[in-house]
Amino acid sequence: TVHDIDVSLQLGAGHPMGPLHLADYIGLDTCLFILEGWVEKYPNEPAFAIPVCLKELVGAGNLGRKTGKGFYHWDGDKRG
């Protein structure tokens, strides 16, 4: 699950927040914009593949904290 991924990176790698929580916090549209730039600059680098779920969330207008919904549901700055 989304929560499992985030907890794994927090506990296993010492990250202050998980990658999906961070993506929601930054804004999924911003993350997509950054990834698209990397893909354009490094088209043969498989590490920069854009996840389908990210495209789907952004396409549906679910941009994370700024819209109240992304990988998580948000109530202002608080993750629901």
Side-chain angles (χ1 to χ4, degrees), residues 2-3 9 12 15-16 18 55 60 67 73:
V2 168
H3 180 72
L9 272 288
H15 292 203
K55 290 181 185 179
T67 61
H73 290 278

Side-chain angles (χ1 to χ4, degrees), residues 7-23:
V7 168
S8 296
L9 272 288
Q10 285 178 280
L11 298 178
H15 292 203
M17 70 174 66
L20 302 177
H21 182 177
L22 179 60

Side-chain angles (χ1 to χ4, degrees), residues 17-37:
M17 70 174 66
L20 302 177
H21 182 177
L22 179 60
D24 260 11
Y25 195 80
I26 293 167
L28 300 181
D29 54 333
T30 301
C31 293
L32 179 59
F33 178 78
I34 292 166
L35 279 170
E36 287 172 338

Side-chain angles (χ1 to χ4, degrees), residues 5-79:
I5 292 168
D6 280 344
V7 168
S8 296
L9 272 288
Q10 285 178 280
L11 298 178
H15 292 203
M17 70 174 66
L20 302 177
H21 182 177
L22 179 60
D24 260 11
Y25 195 80
I26 293 167
L28 300 181
D29 54 333
T30 301
C31 293
L32 179 59
F33 178 78
I34 292 166
L35 279 170
E36 287 172 338
W38 288 346
V39 167
E40 184 179 323
K41 187 164 183 169
Y42 306 104
N44 298 318
E45 176 54 61
F48 297 145
I50 299 172
V52 172
C53 62
L54 179 60
K55 290 181 185 179
E56 290 174 348
L57 285 166
V58 172
N62 298 322
L63 308 179
R65 183 175 53 99
K66 63 176 96 177
T67 61
K69 187 175 179 188
F71 288 107
Y72 291 97
H73 290 278
W74 293 82
D75 182 13
D77 283 343
K78 294 186 180 181
R79 191 178 75 188

